[in-house]
Amino acid sequence: MPELPEVETIKREIIGTVKNRTLVGVEYKDPRNIKEMSPQIFKEEISGEKILGVERRAKYLLFKLKSGRYLVIHLGMAGRLLLKPDKYLRLTFKLSGGKELYFSDLRMFGKIWLCPGYPDLKLGPEPLSREFTFNKFKEIALRKKGAVKLILMDQSFLAGVGNIYASEALFSAGIRPDRRIEKLSEAELKKLYFSIKKVLKAGIVHKGSSVDNFIDAFGKQGTHQNYLNVYDRKGKPCHRCKTPIQKISMGQRGTYFCPGCQL
DNA sequence: ACCTAAACCTGGGCGC
DNA sequence: TGCGCCCAGGTTTAGG
């Protein structure tokens, strides 16, 4: 479920609890989220490791460990990292000082693994980074063909944008999600570039969108769902022009747009 | 390179 | 109450 703003929110909320603590163990309720090695080996390998810091790359959380390895966590559709457990608890990271970090996942699409070094995740640029300039966006956009929304959600093109923020960025830019990216004008690309940054930043400010199930590390909902213009608003009047928001399917995902504002 | 569909899972909501 | 169907913030894989 979580896209860049939701993962960023979680990172900011857990870093104080986990940074500079040692992982003393892992307790499983259901070990299926552990990948690349057996849960037993994972537990043995990670025990005694000190967490030097936590960073976010796209929708991944990277725990930098003292040995140089990284604990990598992707939350999938329904994964949560919590400071208090909930009913979908799958495993508990035991930390020095009696602290605990809980991983919960209703749908079991989340992935947790240990990487020998910085993981090679095959991702496009970070949309909120310095390096992601308009020229960079234009350069990668000009190499692509196809429906603009699907390309925005392609993690190797641009990292961290998912179904909600792709729809919202396109509304903000006034571009229909099914437009072909190769047919966008320079002015449209520019609007889209600024819209992507804008909606992601707003999502972070509001601690994420809780349309369905997202909760942060404290178990609280974000508030950005109250600011969404199209996502999950099928049939409701556009905030800008009152035209009913339309829902279509693209790439097997619900796609929302305003037929009045988006051309 | 692009496009589509299915698969991986569980549970909530809705219609009947 | 219950059953069956559709839906869900993501990614991977296999095919055309």
Side-chain angles (χ1 to χ4, degrees):
Chain A
M1 73 163 103
E3 304 181 34
L4 185 155
E6 289 74 29
V7 178
E8 179 65 24
T9 298
I10 291 168
K11 184 203 80 183
R12 292 179 184 187
E13 291 176 346
I14 64 169
I15 195 156
T17 299
V18 304
K19 190 173 177 177
N20 294 323
R21 287 193 193 273
T22 299
L23 283 151
V24 297
V26 182
E27 218 171 77
Y28 296 118
K29 274 194 73 179
D30 185 327
R32 283 178 292 166
N33 297 99
I34 304 294
K35 308 296 173 185
E36 306 289 323
M37 57 179 75
S38 77
Q40 186 54 37
I41 302 284
F42 174 83
K43 179 186 192 160
E44 286 165 19
E45 287 293 324
I46 210 166
S47 294
E49 274 279 22
K50 186 176 178 186
I51 300 171
L52 299 184
V54 185
E55 24 182 315
R56 178 192 58 73
R57 173 77 172 105
K59 304 171 191 172
Y60 294 83
L61 283 167
L62 309 177
F63 295 70
K64 187 178 174 61
L65 305 176
K66 198 174 177 192
S67 66
R69 297 187 291 184
Y70 281 81
L71 167 63
V72 185
I73 300 184
H74 192 290
L75 298 171
M77 286 286 257
R80 296 171 170 171
L81 274 176
L82 301 164
L83 300 171
K84 287 236 163 36
D86 69 359
K87 64 192 281 204
Y88 305 115
L89 179 69
R90 305 301 182 194
L91 57 92
T92 303
F93 292 103
K94 313 275 251 182
L95 302 164
S96 53
K99 300 280 183 186
E100 297 185 328
L101 180 67
Y102 305 95
F103 177 81
S104 115
D105 190 5
L106 185 158
R107 293 179 70 185
M108 307 300 299
F109 289 165
K111 291 183 169 67
I112 300 173
W113 75 97
L114 196 54
C115 196
Y118 193 89
D120 176 21
L121 299 167
K122 302 185 169 62
L123 297 166
E126 276 293 316
L128 298 182
S129 69
R130 265 254 147 77
E131 304 82 68
F132 184 62
T133 58
F134 173 65
N135 277 343
K136 176 79 189 164
F137 178 62
K138 193 171 109 179
E139 178 202 315
I140 59 177
L142 288 176
R143 280 192 258 135
K144 301 286 278 182
K145 286 181 172 44
V148 61
K149 180 188 179 240
L150 299 181
I151 289 165
L152 287 186
M153 292 177 62
D154 175 351
Q155 301 300 297
S156 67
F157 170 76
L158 186 61
V161 176
N163 207 26
I164 293 181
Y165 295 94
S167 285
E168 293 298 318
L170 287 162
F171 171 82
S172 175
I175 298 167
R176 282 178 58 112
D178 53 359
R179 286 276 303 283
R180 307 206 110 233
I181 196 167
E182 68 270 26
K183 304 252 176 162
L184 297 183
S185 67
E186 166 120 3
E188 285 174 320
L189 280 180
K190 192 160 253 176
K191 260 196 276 181
L192 183 53
Y193 168 79
F194 285 111
S195 296
I196 291 164
K197 295 196 161 230
K198 188 177 81 176
V199 299
L200 292 175
K201 282 184 195 165
I204 293 171
V205 166
H206 298 128
K207 299 191 194 304
S209 301
S210 297
V211 169
D212 197 2
N213 260 326
F214 172 72
I215 54 172
D216 68 9
F218 303 118
K220 289 174 56 176
Q221 296 203 331
T223 58
H224 194 63
Q225 65 279 9
N226 301 321
Y227 302 87
L228 297 177
N229 283 303
V230 288
Y231 188 84
D232 202 34
R233 295 196 68 245
K234 179 185 175 185
K236 297 190 175 146
C238 172
H239 292 317
R240 192 183 288 162
C241 77
K242 309 294 177 221
T243 303
I245 299 304
Q246 199 169 322
K247 182 184 184 187
I248 59 175
S249 183
M250 291 183 67
Q252 310 176 91
R253 314 299 300 279
T255 300
Y256 301 82
F257 68 99
C258 171
C261 295
Q262 292 173 260
L263 306 173

